């Protein structure tokens, strides 16, 4: 693993580049994980597995997250994250250890939306893989967040928080995950995020910028599918997050496509076996077929 930095619209982003042994010009894959995540939560794990399969795999922290630069911090901004992915692909394409004609993208959970968005507009990306993808539109958000009124209220408080930030420079934060704080973005007892042996690590501050709600809840990833012509594989489970979103997205894809249904909860795909191995092997095989 090599520590790297690269520019993304004037911000220095920090990444980990995992290189396969004994390969001079390997196919490259950009890897990213869940909303609010840092690279150490799950992107590093998948990048390392892909390197073991012969790929040069880059995980990185988005603008304002983890070791990367940028202000304000820890704001889930889909448009900015898509630009970061585009710039990560550009960085990988120029690296001496990477074959620029064989570049793929892997999105886990929410990064599936962002990787898909970039792929729809970036012909440098030749292949796409999505693991336990969170793929939403307005209807799915209403189902996931308690109905139209609840979504409208989150958008309202998000806009109010944005106004306060514009006026004062202060960011309103709530926990990403909490078993006791109902203001949390995910007000549940989720072991992956709260357990220090899993995702509850010091590098991840467990804070959600309230002003991010409008951009998140109005983002339509399902509509991106017809714009994606690259071969795409989806790995998912009926017991993971919003499988209906994955089905609808898969149905709309314009290029070659496959969807592999396996077992496990959403959080199993982040760090548990056999889910990680099944997913990594499926993704590596997909890239093996499509990045020739």
């Amino acid at each position: 693993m090599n520590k790297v930095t690269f520019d993304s619209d004037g911000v220095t982003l920090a990444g980990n580049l995992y290189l396969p042994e004994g390969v001079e010009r390997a196919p490259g894959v950009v890897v990213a994980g869940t909303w609010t995540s840092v690279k150490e939560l799950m992107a590093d794990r998948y990048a390392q597995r892909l390197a073991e399969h012969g790929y040069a795999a880059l995980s990185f922290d988005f603008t304002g997250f983890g070791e990367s630069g940028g202000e304000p911090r820890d704001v889930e901004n889909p448009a900015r994250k898509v630009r970061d992915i585009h710039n990560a692909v550009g960085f990988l394409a120029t690296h001496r250890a990477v074959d620029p004609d064989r570049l793929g993208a892997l999105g886990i959970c929410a990064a599936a939306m962002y990787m898909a968005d970039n792929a729809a507009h970036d012909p440098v990306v030749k292949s796409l893989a999505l693991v336990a993808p969170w793929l939403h539109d307005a209807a799915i958000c209403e189902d996931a967040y308690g109905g139209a009124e609840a979504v409208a209220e989150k958008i309202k408080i998000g806009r109010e928080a944005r106004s306060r930030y514009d006026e004062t420079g202060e960011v309103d934060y709530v926990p990403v995950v909490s078993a006791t704080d109902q203001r949390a973005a995910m007000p549940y007892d989720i072991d992956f995020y709260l357990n220090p042996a899993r995702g509850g690590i010091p590098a991840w501050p467990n804070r959600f910028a309230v002003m991010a709600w409008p951009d998140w809840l109005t983002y339509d990833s399902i509509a991106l599918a017809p714009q994606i012509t690259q071969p795409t594989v989806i790995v998912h489970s009926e017991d993971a997050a919003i499988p209906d979103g994955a089905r609808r997205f898969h149905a709309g894809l314009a290029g070659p496509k496959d969807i592999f249904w396996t077992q496990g909860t959403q959080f199993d795909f982040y760090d548990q076996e056999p889910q990680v191995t099944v997913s990594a092997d499926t993704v590596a095989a997909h890239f093996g077929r499509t990045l020739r």
Side-chain angles (χ1 to χ4, degrees):
M1 188 271 284
N2 301 274
K3 303 291 288 185
V4 297
T5 59
F6 59 94
D7 178 78
S8 182
D9 299 348
V11 175
T12 299
L13 301 191
N16 293 330
L17 179 59
Y18 293 81
L19 297 175
E21 294 184 7
V23 181
E24 285 191 12
R25 299 268 281 180
V29 181
V30 174
V31 185
T34 62
W35 72 334
T36 80
S37 70
V38 292
K39 59 189 177 300
E40 292 83 2
L41 286 193
M42 70 285 297
D44 276 354
R45 182 173 296 107
Y46 276 86
Q48 182 175 1
R49 293 296 187 94
L50 286 175
E52 293 168 359
H53 281 281
Y55 300 92
L58 173 68
S59 62
F60 69 97
D61 288 325
F62 288 100
T63 296
F65 288 85
E67 296 179 310
S68 290
E71 297 287 343
R73 306 298 296 175
D74 302 303
V75 177
E76 192 70 23
N77 183 326
R80 177 75 222 209
K81 286 195 164 185
V82 173
R83 291 199 301 274
D84 286 346
I85 288 168
H86 178 75
N87 291 320
V89 171
F91 165 76
L92 203 56
T94 62
H95 196 281
R96 63 184 182 279
V98 178
D99 183 344
D101 296 322
R102 295 189 291 163
L103 293 179
L106 166 59
I108 303 144
C109 190
M113 299 198 294
Y114 310 146
M115 290 293 183
D117 198 331
N118 182 67
H121 305 98
D122 189 352
V124 175
V125 175
K126 298 298 195 294
S127 184
L128 182 64
L130 311 176
V131 169
W134 178 284
L135 295 156
H136 74 215
D137 60 6
I140 288 171
C141 281
E142 289 183 8
D143 288 341
Y145 290 102
E149 290 186 7
V151 168
E153 178 62 22
K154 279 182 166 52
I155 291 174
K156 175 176 177 289
I157 65 172
R159 288 174 176 161
E160 292 169 350
R162 177 70 201 207
S163 294
R164 284 193 293 275
Y165 171 73
D166 290 340
E167 294 169 4
T168 69
E170 296 180 2
V171 181
D172 293 343
Y173 293 108
V174 296
V176 178
V177 176
S178 175
T180 58
D181 190 341
Q182 288 302 303
R183 300 174 305 155
M186 293 185 284
Y188 312 107
D189 186 2
I190 302 174
D191 183 71
F192 173 79
Y193 287 108
L194 299 178
N195 184 344
R198 298 184 69 191
I201 58 176
W204 181 69
N206 189 16
R207 64 178 185 174
F208 180 82
V210 176
M211 66 179 176
W213 279 126
D215 289 337
W216 171 258
L217 292 169
T218 59
Y219 189 68
D220 187 348
S221 62
I222 307 298
L224 296 167
Q227 304 173 54
I228 296 172
T229 58
Q230 296 94 328
T232 301
V233 68
I234 297 172
V235 182
H236 214 1
S237 164
E238 292 289 354
D239 296 320
I242 50 173
D244 184 53
R247 277 190 289 269
R248 289 174 51 205
F249 181 87
H250 177 262
L253 286 167
K257 57 190 177 181
D258 192 16
I259 187 165
F260 178 74
W261 293 99
T262 184
Q263 304 296 315
T265 70
Q266 184 69 16
F267 310 105
D268 290 336
F269 288 93
Y270 301 166
D271 67 341
Q272 298 295 296
E273 294 296 346
Q275 284 78 18
V276 171
T277 294
V278 167
S279 300
D281 289 355
T282 302
V283 168
H286 169 75
F287 289 141
R289 293 188 298 269
T290 58
L291 293 178
R292 294 180 177 178

